[in-house]
Amino acid sequence: ETYGFQRRLNAISATVAASRAGDYRQYLFRWEVMGKGERQYRFQLSRQEDASDPIVDEVGLTEQRFVITDLPPGTYYWRVKTLQFVDGEAHGKWSPIERLTISAAQ
């Protein structure tokens, strides 16, 4: 028997950094990807550990970053999906779910 397959590099890693913008707190979510091809991204932020029922769900992003301002204190879970377009085909992959805890003192 003969089998065929395609192998594509579509790796993603993500980070978040907090800063102040006047009276507001900003959270800069950034991600790095590996592999070739045109890309789009989807960012999700949820209160649920499994990332279900997102409170933010942004699709069609073209930049490798997303900023959210003044999140209330609490625990959040977030992830990014990379959609890679190569040879007329789309290949998607989610980053691992990351946890962000915001205290009232921040």
Side-chain angles (χ1 to χ4, degrees), residues 39-102:
R39 295 185 186 263
Q40 286 186 3
Y41 307 99
R42 179 177 183 177
F43 174 86
Q44 288 185 333
L45 179 75
S46 176
R47 292 274 195 168
Q48 308 303 316
E49 195 168 348
D50 64 358
S52 63
D53 195 26
I55 56 176
V56 175
D57 191 358
E58 289 290 325
V59 297
L61 300 172
T62 56
E63 300 289 323
Q64 291 177 245
R65 62 188 178 92
F66 189 75
V67 175
I68 297 178
T69 302
D70 233 18
L71 284 169
T75 301
Y76 298 88
Y77 299 91
W78 63 280
R79 64 185 181 170
V80 177
K81 183 176 188 176
T82 175
L83 193 56
Q84 177 185 41
F85 300 96
V86 179
D87 299 330
E89 294 181 5
H91 305 274
K93 182 174 184 178
W94 284 105
S95 68
I97 296 173
E98 302 285 344
R99 184 171 68 183
L100 171 64
T101 302
I102 300 171

